[in-house]
Amino acid sequence: AAATAAPEKKEFWRWQENTWYDETKNWKDAKIITCGIDVGSVSSQAVLVCDGELYGYNSMRTGSNSPDSAKNALAGIMDKIGMKLEDIHHVIGTGYGRVNVPFAHKAITEIACHARGANYMGGNKVRTILDMGGQDCKAIHCDEKGKVTNFLMNDKCAAGTGRGMEVISDLMQIPIAELGPRSFDVETEPEAVSSICVVFAKSEALGLLKAGYTKNMVIAAYCQAMAERVVSLLERIGVEEGFFITGGIAKNPGVVKHIEKLLGIKAVDTKIDSQIAGALGAALFGYTLVQKQ
C-alpha cells in the first residue's frame, strides 16, 4: 500500500511575499536603470529604479545563503518584466548580507539606505525613522535629503523584531498577518507581557493562556510590550516630527498603533510597501552614483 503522506504542517509565521511593477511605464524607455538588493536576516528585497523613480520590486523570504537570496530576489522581478542583469547600469547591496551580493558594484549600510528610502517614500519632512527588521531594530535621524545624522540600534535580542512576531504567530497558530488586527479585538487592554525575550515570551504566553487569557489578549499584551521596547529606543535618540516606520513590522497595526499612542505622534503614511525601504534607498544611491559618473 502506498505510504500516506504526512499532513502538511501549516506555517503560520509565513508572511506574504510580493512582486510589483509600474505597468504604466516601460523600463526600456529609461536612460538609467539601477537596482538595490537588501539581503536581511528574515527577508530579501530587490528594487528597480528607472531614472530615479521606483519602477518595481520583489520581496521574499531570505534563504539559507545570501548570494542565492540576492539572485532569487532579483530574478523574481526581472523574470516578470523580461529584463536581464546586463540591462541594469548599477547594483548596490545593503542589509545584513550586503557583502555577499555577487553582482553588486558596491555595498552601503542599511542605516543609510533606510534613511534614503524613507525620504523617498515619506517625503523630505521625514526626520525620525524606526526600522523594525527581522532581527534588529534601529532608530535613525536624518535631514531633509534623507542623509543620516544620528542612529541607535538594538541588535542584542530578537524582541521588538519580526522574528519575535513569527514565534508568537506560530505559538498561537494564527497567521502572522492577522496578529495586528486581532490585538484590538479585546474587551480591555491587557498589561504588556513582562518579558519580551523571545525565549521567555513563549513560556509567558503559555502561562497567560493557562491563566484564562484569550489568544487575542496574549497577542495584544505582546504587541504592547513590543511597542514599549522600541519606544524606549526611540526616546533615547529623541523623536522629531516626520516619524516614519520601515521594515516588516510596519505592516502590523497592533504594534504601530501602540507605538503612536505611546509617542503621541502619528507615523507618516505611505502607499509603498514599508519593507522595501532599504533596497529602494540602495537603488537611489546607485542612481546618484551613475549620474555623477
Side-chain angles (χ1 to χ4, degrees):
T4 51
E8 199 187 332
K9 186 178 178 297
K10 193 157 166 35
E11 295 176 310
F12 291 97
W13 51 263
R14 270 208 182 274
W15 37 269
Q16 188 66 48
E17 297 183 331
N18 64 5
T19 310
W20 171 90
Y21 66 95
D22 187 345
E23 291 174 25
T24 66
K25 292 184 184 135
N26 184 350
W27 62 266
K28 290 175 179 160
D29 299 334
K31 286 188 181 66
I32 300 174
I33 299 170
T34 55
C35 170
I37 307 262
D38 180 357
V39 180
S41 56
V42 168
S43 70
S44 292
Q45 287 78 30
V47 168
L48 294 171
V49 159
C50 290
D51 294 332
E53 295 290 319
L54 172 63
Y55 173 73
Y57 62 82
N58 179 34
S59 174
M60 63 196 297
R61 195 162 183 87
T62 296
S64 54
N65 75 49
S66 298
D68 286 351
S69 298
K71 282 179 197 147
N72 295 340
L74 183 54
I77 178 70
M78 287 201 307
D79 294 353
K80 263 208 159 68
I81 58 175
M83 185 186 273
K84 291 190 175 63
L85 188 56
E86 45 271 27
D87 296 318
I88 302 171
H89 297 90
H90 206 84
V91 180
I92 289 194
T94 190
Y96 126 116
R98 64 183 172 274
V99 293
N100 295 319
V101 178
F103 43 84
H105 297 88
K106 188 181 168 124
I108 295 179
T109 90
E110 65 266 39
I111 292 161
C113 290
H114 271 271
R116 184 77 183 262
N119 172 273
Y120 180 98
M121 289 155 78
N124 59 8
K125 290 184 177 65
V126 171
R127 289 293 176 277
T128 306
I129 299 145
L130 172 65
D131 169 30
M132 301 180 80
Q135 283 187 0
D136 64 25
C137 195
K138 304 175 191 76
I140 306 164
H141 271 281
C142 67
D143 64 15
E144 72 286 351
K145 290 195 174 83
K147 191 169 181 295
V148 176
T149 52
N150 195 7
F151 75 92
L152 269 179
M153 108 187 233
N154 152 39
D155 61 350
K156 297 281 182 286
C157 166
T161 67
R163 188 68 199 103
M165 228 8 125
E166 289 180 359
V167 169
I168 292 296
S169 162
D170 235 23
L171 187 68
M172 295 291 146
Q173 305 268 287
I174 291 169
I176 197 155
E178 290 173 26
L179 293 183
R182 284 185 69 155
S183 72
F184 299 117
D185 197 4
V186 288
E187 303 259 311
T188 52
E189 183 78 35
E191 286 278 305
V193 290
S194 59
S195 156
I196 63 162
C197 161
V198 174
V199 185
F200 296 125
K202 235 173 167 170
S203 50
E204 186 165 11
L206 291 169
L208 291 172
L209 290 171
K210 283 197 186 104
Y213 268 52
T214 62
K215 280 187 175 184
N216 288 1
M217 283 167 78
V218 175
I219 295 164
Y222 195 74
C223 286
Q224 174 72 12
M226 214 171 197
E228 285 176 9
R229 175 84 181 221
V230 298
V231 164
S232 71
L233 183 74
L234 282 164
E235 282 171 344
R236 277 165 51 203
I237 198 169
V239 180
E240 294 177 43
E241 277 294 340
F243 173 55
F244 196 85
I245 307 177
T246 64
I249 305 256
K251 296 177 183 172
N252 182 323
V255 179
V256 171
K257 292 274 182 294
H258 281 307
I259 292 170
E260 292 177 330
K261 196 168 147 191
L262 289 167
L263 289 175
I265 288 182
K266 226 179 135 6
V268 176
D269 255 344
T270 178
K271 305 252 180 310
I272 306 170
D273 185 338
S274 55
Q275 221 165 340
I276 70 159
L280 172 58
L284 292 166
F285 274 125
Y287 177 65
T288 306
L289 283 169
V290 175
Q291 277 186 309
K292 279 181 182 162
Q293 283 163 12

